[in-house]
mmCIF file with all atom_site columns, all heavy atoms in Angstrom:
data_model
loop_
_atom_site.group_PDB
_atom_site.id
_atom_site.type_symbol
_atom_site.label_atom_id
_atom_site.label_alt_id
_atom_site.label_comp_id
_atom_site.label_asym_id
_atom_site.label_entity_id
_atom_site.label_seq_id
_atom_site.pdbx_PDB_ins_code
_atom_site.Cartn_x
_atom_site.Cartn_y
_atom_site.Cartn_z
_atom_site.occupancy
_atom_site.B_iso_or_equiv
_atom_site.pdbx_formal_charge
_atom_site.auth_seq_id
_atom_site.auth_comp_id
_atom_site.auth_asym_id
_atom_site.auth_atom_id
_atom_site.pdbx_PDB_model_num
ATOM 1   N N   . PRO C 1 3  ? -28.276 66.035 -26.493 1.00 93.00 ? 4  PRO C N   1
ATOM 2   C CA  . PRO C 1 3  ? -28.285 66.568 -27.900 1.00 93.00 ? 4  PRO C CA  1
ATOM 3   C C   . PRO C 1 3  ? -27.596 67.897 -27.971 1.00 93.00 ? 4  PRO C C   1
ATOM 4   O O   . PRO C 1 3  ? -28.289 68.994 -27.827 1.00 93.00 ? 4  PRO C O   1
ATOM 5   C CB  . PRO C 1 3  ? -29.899 66.602 -28.238 1.00 93.00 ? 4  PRO C CB  1
ATOM 6   C CG  . PRO C 1 3  ? -30.476 66.841 -26.906 1.00 93.00 ? 4  PRO C CG  1
ATOM 7   C CD  . PRO C 1 3  ? -29.641 66.107 -25.904 1.00 93.00 ? 4  PRO C CD  1
ATOM 8   N N   . VAL C 1 4  ? -26.364 67.912 -28.351 1.00 96.00 ? 5  VAL C N   1
ATOM 9   C CA  . VAL C 1 4  ? -25.589 69.181 -28.298 1.00 96.00 ? 5  VAL C CA  1
ATOM 10  C C   . VAL C 1 4  ? -24.569 69.216 -29.549 1.00 96.00 ? 5  VAL C C   1
ATOM 11  O O   . VAL C 1 4  ? -24.259 68.132 -30.015 1.00 96.00 ? 5  VAL C O   1
ATOM 12  C CB  . VAL C 1 4  ? -24.751 69.075 -26.948 1.00 96.00 ? 5  VAL C CB  1
ATOM 13  C CG1 . VAL C 1 4  ? -23.832 68.073 -27.010 1.00 96.00 ? 5  VAL C CG1 1
ATOM 14  C CG2 . VAL C 1 4  ? -24.216 70.452 -26.604 1.00 96.00 ? 5  VAL C CG2 1
ATOM 15  N N   . ALA C 1 5  ? -24.349 70.376 -30.077 1.00 97.00 ? 6  ALA C N   1
ATOM 16  C CA  . ALA C 1 5  ? -23.306 70.585 -31.038 1.00 97.00 ? 6  ALA C CA  1
ATOM 17  C C   . ALA C 1 5  ? -22.221 71.505 -30.467 1.00 97.00 ? 6  ALA C C   1
ATOM 18  O O   . ALA C 1 5  ? -22.624 72.601 -30.039 1.00 97.00 ? 6  ALA C O   1
ATOM 19  C CB  . ALA C 1 5  ? -23.976 71.120 -32.328 1.00 97.00 ? 6  ALA C CB  1
ATOM 20  N N   . VAL C 1 6  ? -20.966 71.083 -30.426 1.00 98.00 ? 7  VAL C N   1
ATOM 21  C CA  . VAL C 1 6  ? -19.872 71.965 -29.984 1.00 98.00 ? 7  VAL C CA  1
ATOM 22  C C   . VAL C 1 6  ? -19.243 72.630 -31.160 1.00 98.00 ? 7  VAL C C   1
ATOM 23  O O   . VAL C 1 6  ? -18.932 72.095 -32.018 1.00 98.00 ? 7  VAL C O   1
ATOM 24  C CB  . VAL C 1 6  ? -18.883 70.960 -29.254 1.00 98.00 ? 7  VAL C CB  1
ATOM 25  C CG1 . VAL C 1 6  ? -17.784 71.836 -28.576 1.00 98.00 ? 7  VAL C CG1 1
ATOM 26  C CG2 . VAL C 1 6  ? -19.547 70.300 -28.072 1.00 98.00 ? 7  VAL C CG2 1
ATOM 27  N N   . ARG C 1 7  ? -19.218 73.935 -31.048 1.00 97.00 ? 8  ARG C N   1
ATOM 28  C CA  . ARG C 1 7  ? -18.706 74.727 -32.143 1.00 97.00 ? 8  ARG C CA  1
ATOM 29  C C   . ARG C 1 7  ? -17.306 74.719 -32.341 1.00 97.00 ? 8  ARG C C   1
ATOM 30  O O   . ARG C 1 7  ? -16.712 74.647 -33.463 1.00 97.00 ? 8  ARG C O   1
ATOM 31  C CB  . ARG C 1 7  ? -19.157 76.169 -31.887 1.00 97.00 ? 8  ARG C CB  1
ATOM 32  C CG  . ARG C 1 7  ? -20.609 76.523 -32.181 1.00 97.00 ? 8  ARG C CG  1
ATOM 33  C CD  . ARG C 1 7  ? -20.902 77.938 -32.506 1.00 97.00 ? 8  ARG C CD  1
ATOM 34  N NE  . ARG C 1 7  ? -22.268 78.191 -32.606 1.00 97.00 ? 8  ARG C NE  1
ATOM 35  C CZ  . ARG C 1 7  ? -23.246 78.448 -31.629 1.00 97.00 ? 8  ARG C CZ  1
ATOM 36  N NH1 . ARG C 1 7  ? -22.734 78.666 -30.424 1.00 97.00 ? 8  ARG C NH1 1
ATOM 37  N NH2 . ARG C 1 7  ? -24.404 78.566 -31.951 1.00 97.00 ? 8  ARG C NH2 1
ATOM 38  N N   . ASN C 1 8  ? -16.467 74.754 -31.154 1.00 97.00 ? 9  ASN C N   1
ATOM 39  C CA  . ASN C 1 8  ? -15.043 74.954 -31.332 1.00 97.00 ? 9  ASN C CA  1
ATOM 40  C C   . ASN C 1 8  ? -14.344 73.763 -30.677 1.00 97.00 ? 9  ASN C C   1
ATOM 41  O O   . ASN C 1 8  ? -14.602 73.471 -29.449 1.00 97.00 ? 9  ASN C O   1
ATOM 42  C CB  . ASN C 1 8  ? -14.492 76.243 -30.536 1.00 97.00 ? 9  ASN C CB  1
ATOM 43  C CG  . ASN C 1 8  ? -15.298 77.436 -31.243 1.00 97.00 ? 9  ASN C CG  1
ATOM 44  O OD1 . ASN C 1 8  ? -15.126 77.730 -32.460 1.00 97.00 ? 9  ASN C OD1 1
ATOM 45  N ND2 . ASN C 1 8  ? -16.075 78.204 -30.396 1.00 97.00 ? 9  ASN C ND2 1
ATOM 46  N N   . ILE C 1 9  ? -13.514 73.165 -31.342 1.00 97.00 ? 10 ILE C N   1
ATOM 47  C CA  . ILE C 1 9  ? -12.685 71.986 -30.844 1.00 97.00 ? 10 ILE C CA  1
ATOM 48  C C   . ILE C 1 9  ? -11.188 72.306 -31.082 1.00 97.00 ? 10 ILE C C   1
ATOM 49  O O   . ILE C 1 9  ? -10.760 73.057 -31.834 1.00 97.00 ? 10 ILE C O   1
ATOM 50  C CB  . ILE C 1 9  ? -13.064 70.661 -31.490 1.00 97.00 ? 10 ILE C CB  1
ATOM 51  C CG1 . ILE C 1 9  ? -12.883 70.785 -33.058 1.00 97.00 ? 10 ILE C CG1 1
ATOM 52  C CG2 . ILE C 1 9  ? -14.561 70.370 -31.199 1.00 97.00 ? 10 ILE C CG2 1
ATOM 53  C CD1 . ILE C 1 9  ? -12.924 69.466 -33.639 1.00 97.00 ? 10 ILE C CD1 1
ATOM 54  N N   . GLN C 1 10 ? -10.480 71.526 -30.260 1.00 97.00 ? 11 GLN C N   1
ATOM 55  C CA  . GLN C 1 10 ? -8.873  71.734 -30.440 1.00 97.00 ? 11 GLN C CA  1
ATOM 56  C C   . GLN C 1 10 ? -8.560  70.665 -31.342 1.00 97.00 ? 11 GLN C C   1
ATOM 57  O O   . GLN C 1 10 ? -8.820  69.374 -31.226 1.00 97.00 ? 11 GLN C O   1
ATOM 58  C CB  . GLN C 1 10 ? -8.230  71.462 -29.082 1.00 97.00 ? 11 GLN C CB  1
ATOM 59  C CG  . GLN C 1 10 ? -6.876  71.921 -29.042 1.00 97.00 ? 11 GLN C CG  1
ATOM 60  C CD  . GLN C 1 10 ? -6.132  71.454 -27.829 1.00 97.00 ? 11 GLN C CD  1
ATOM 61  O OE1 . GLN C 1 10 ? -6.827  71.126 -26.713 1.00 97.00 ? 11 GLN C OE1 1
ATOM 62  N NE2 . GLN C 1 10 ? -4.835  71.319 -27.872 1.00 97.00 ? 11 GLN C NE2 1
ATOM 63  N N   . ARG C 1 11 ? -7.765  71.052 -32.403 1.00 98.00 ? 12 ARG C N   1
ATOM 64  C CA  . ARG C 1 11 ? -7.356  70.056 -33.486 1.00 98.00 ? 12 ARG C CA  1
ATOM 65  C C   . ARG C 1 11 ? -5.997  69.630 -33.040 1.00 98.00 ? 12 ARG C C   1
ATOM 66  O O   . ARG C 1 11 ? -5.127  70.420 -32.672 1.00 98.00 ? 12 ARG C O   1
ATOM 67  C CB  . ARG C 1 11 ? -7.539  70.679 -34.809 1.00 98.00 ? 12 ARG C CB  1
ATOM 68  C CG  . ARG C 1 11 ? -9.078  70.675 -35.175 1.00 98.00 ? 12 ARG C CG  1
ATOM 69  C CD  . ARG C 1 11 ? -9.294  71.508 -36.469 1.00 98.00 ? 12 ARG C CD  1
ATOM 70  N NE  . ARG C 1 11 ? -10.662 71.453 -36.936 1.00 98.00 ? 12 ARG C NE  1
ATOM 71  C CZ  . ARG C 1 11 ? -11.693 72.061 -36.473 1.00 98.00 ? 12 ARG C CZ  1
ATOM 72  N NH1 . ARG C 1 11 ? -11.423 72.940 -35.526 1.00 98.00 ? 12 ARG C NH1 1
ATOM 73  N NH2 . ARG C 1 11 ? -12.917 71.888 -36.978 1.00 98.00 ? 12 ARG C NH2 1
ATOM 74  N N   . ALA C 1 12 ? -5.644  68.322 -33.518 1.00 98.00 ? 13 ALA C N   1
ATOM 75  C CA  . ALA C 1 12 ? -4.230  67.910 -33.253 1.00 98.00 ? 13 ALA C CA  1
ATOM 76  C C   . ALA C 1 12 ? -3.222  68.669 -34.149 1.00 98.00 ? 13 ALA C C   1
ATOM 77  O O   . ALA C 1 12 ? -3.626  69.353 -35.136 1.00 98.00 ? 13 ALA C O   1
ATOM 78  C CB  . ALA C 1 12 ? -4.264  66.484 -33.674 1.00 98.00 ? 13 ALA C CB  1
ATOM 79  N N   . ASP C 1 13 ? -1.988  68.638 -33.804 1.00 97.00 ? 14 ASP C N   1
ATOM 80  C CA  . ASP C 1 13 ? -0.864  69.263 -34.473 1.00 97.00 ? 14 ASP C CA  1
ATOM 81  C C   . ASP C 1 13 ? -0.936  68.930 -35.894 1.00 97.00 ? 14 ASP C C   1
ATOM 82  O O   . ASP C 1 13 ? -0.829  67.932 -36.405 1.00 97.00 ? 14 ASP C O   1
ATOM 83  C CB  . ASP C 1 13 ? 0.501   68.761 -33.842 1.00 97.00 ? 14 ASP C CB  1
ATOM 84  C CG  . ASP C 1 13 ? 1.733   69.361 -34.410 1.00 97.00 ? 14 ASP C CG  1
ATOM 85  O OD1 . ASP C 1 13 ? 1.993   70.518 -34.078 1.00 97.00 ? 14 ASP C OD1 1
ATOM 86  O OD2 . ASP C 1 13 ? 2.277   68.788 -35.309 1.00 97.00 ? 14 ASP C OD2 1
ATOM 87  N N   . SER C 1 14 ? -0.789  70.083 -36.827 1.00 97.00 ? 15 SER C N   1
ATOM 88  C CA  . SER C 1 14 ? -0.888  69.876 -38.153 1.00 97.00 ? 15 SER C CA  1
ATOM 89  C C   . SER C 1 14 ? 0.400   69.389 -38.792 1.00 97.00 ? 15 SER C C   1
ATOM 90  O O   . SER C 1 14 ? 0.437   68.654 -39.852 1.00 97.00 ? 15 SER C O   1
ATOM 91  C CB  . SER C 1 14 ? -1.254  71.168 -38.873 1.00 97.00 ? 15 SER C CB  1
ATOM 92  O OG  . SER C 1 14 ? -0.177  72.154 -38.542 1.00 97.00 ? 15 SER C OG  1
ATOM 93  N N   . ASN C 1 15 ? 1.584   69.547 -38.285 1.00 98.00 ? 16 ASN C N   1
ATOM 94  C CA  . ASN C 1 15 ? 2.709   68.852 -38.743 1.00 98.00 ? 16 ASN C CA  1
ATOM 95  C C   . ASN C 1 15 ? 2.615   67.365 -38.679 1.00 98.00 ? 16 ASN C C   1
ATOM 96  O O   . ASN C 1 15 ? 2.987   66.578 -39.569 1.00 98.00 ? 16 ASN C O   1
ATOM 97  C CB  . ASN C 1 15 ? 4.008   69.318 -38.067 1.00 98.00 ? 16 ASN C CB  1
ATOM 98  C CG  . ASN C 1 15 ? 4.394   70.700 -38.546 1.00 98.00 ? 16 ASN C CG  1
ATOM 99  O OD1 . ASN C 1 15 ? 4.013   71.121 -39.702 1.00 98.00 ? 16 ASN C OD1 1
ATOM 100 N ND2 . ASN C 1 15 ? 4.954   71.500 -37.613 1.00 98.00 ? 16 ASN C ND2 1
ATOM 101 N N   . ALA C 1 16 ? 2.140   66.911 -37.491 1.00 98.00 ? 17 ALA C N   1
ATOM 102 C CA  . ALA C 1 16 ? 2.054   65.488 -37.315 1.00 98.00 ? 17 ALA C CA  1
ATOM 103 C C   . ALA C 1 16 ? 1.115   64.912 -38.237 1.00 98.00 ? 17 ALA C C   1
ATOM 104 O O   . ALA C 1 16 ? 1.251   63.872 -38.834 1.00 98.00 ? 17 ALA C O   1
ATOM 105 C CB  . ALA C 1 16 ? 1.453   65.163 -35.802 1.00 98.00 ? 17 ALA C CB  1
ATOM 106 N N   . ILE C 1 17 ? -0.010  65.660 -38.502 1.00 98.00 ? 18 ILE C N   1
ATOM 107 C CA  . ILE C 1 17 ? -1.068  65.190 -39.476 1.00 98.00 ? 18 ILE C CA  1
ATOM 108 C C   . ILE C 1 17 ? -0.436  65.020 -40.869 1.00 98.00 ? 18 ILE C C   1
ATOM 109 O O   . ILE C 1 17 ? -0.666  64.009 -41.508 1.00 98.00 ? 18 ILE C O   1
ATOM 110 C CB  . ILE C 1 17 ? -2.231  66.185 -39.504 1.00 98.00 ? 18 ILE C CB  1
ATOM 111 C CG1 . ILE C 1 17 ? -3.002  66.010 -38.273 1.00 98.00 ? 18 ILE C CG1 1
ATOM 112 C CG2 . ILE C 1 17 ? -3.158  65.883 -40.729 1.00 98.00 ? 18 ILE C CG2 1
ATOM 113 C CD1 . ILE C 1 17 ? -4.154  67.099 -38.002 1.00 98.00 ? 18 ILE C CD1 1
ATOM 114 N N   . GLY C 1 18 ? 0.541   65.931 -41.273 1.00 98.00 ? 19 GLY C N   1
ATOM 115 C CA  . GLY C 1 18 ? 1.301   65.867 -42.502 1.00 98.00 ? 19 GLY C CA  1
ATOM 116 C C   . GLY C 1 18 ? 2.050   64.515 -42.611 1.00 98.00 ? 19 GLY C C   1
ATOM 117 O O   . GLY C 1 18 ? 2.072   63.861 -43.603 1.00 98.00 ? 19 GLY C O   1
#
Side-chain angles (χ1 to χ4, degrees):
Chain C
V5 68
V7 180
R8 286 202 182 90
N9 302 303
I10 60 172
Q11 191 192 342
R12 287 167 171 82
D14 179 82
S15 60
N16 284 334
I18 290 174

